[in-house]
Amino acid sequence: MATADERGNGIHIGSVRGAFAIGDHNTVTNHEGAAPAADPAQEELLRAVRALRDDLSRVVQSPQVTALSGELAETETEIADTGAAGPGRVARLRTALADAGAVVGLLASGAAVGQAVAALVGG
């Protein structure tokens, strides 16, 4: 908190966490901690998910394809936000892949997602 000194001049700052600047034309950049190390298996899953989402946008939509597209979008968001898709997300993605198997089997990107999921769950 800023306060005036006993003469009514100046600024006193009690405590600060993070970064700040005082005065005109200042720029502040605050870097706290290192970014988490990227898991190669999660990076591969993310690449495969993005490719399959792109491919699915060009196929005839069915309830299974729509459900798979939703799971792919949620998986992509989770990996982008947290660095990894959790076990529950991977299980739901695996189920959606199986449900849309007829379409996924025709796409190389579908096989890539299936392989990435299998690598994460161990089989």
Side-chain angles (χ1 to χ4, degrees):
M1 180 166 95
T3 60
D5 65 15
E6 62 232 20
R7 295 170 296 175
N9 298 324
I11 296 174
H12 170 75
I13 300 174
S15 65
V16 174
R17 180 181 164 117
F20 69 95
I22 298 173
D24 295 334
H25 311 293
N26 288 310
T27 301
V28 176
T29 303
N30 185 31
H31 300 281
E32 290 188 31
D39 177 358
Q42 294 287 338
E43 287 181 352
E44 180 57 34
L45 177 59
L46 181 58
R47 280 190 296 276
V49 161
R50 287 176 174 162
L52 182 54
R53 283 189 71 200
D54 187 47
D55 287 346
L56 287 179
S57 70
R58 294 184 290 274
V59 302
V60 175
Q61 294 298 300
S62 68
Q64 294 83 8
V65 170
T66 301
L68 176 57
S69 294
E71 284 300 329
L72 291 167
E74 291 175 15
T75 301
E76 181 177 355
T77 299
E78 187 170 326
I79 295 171
D81 289 350
T82 67
R89 173 72 55 213
V90 172
R92 288 188 297 277
L93 180 57
R94 189 176 213 182
T95 299
L97 284 167
D99 291 347
V103 172
V104 172
L106 299 174
L107 303 169
S109 59
V113 171
Q115 291 170 351
V117 166
L120 286 171
V121 296

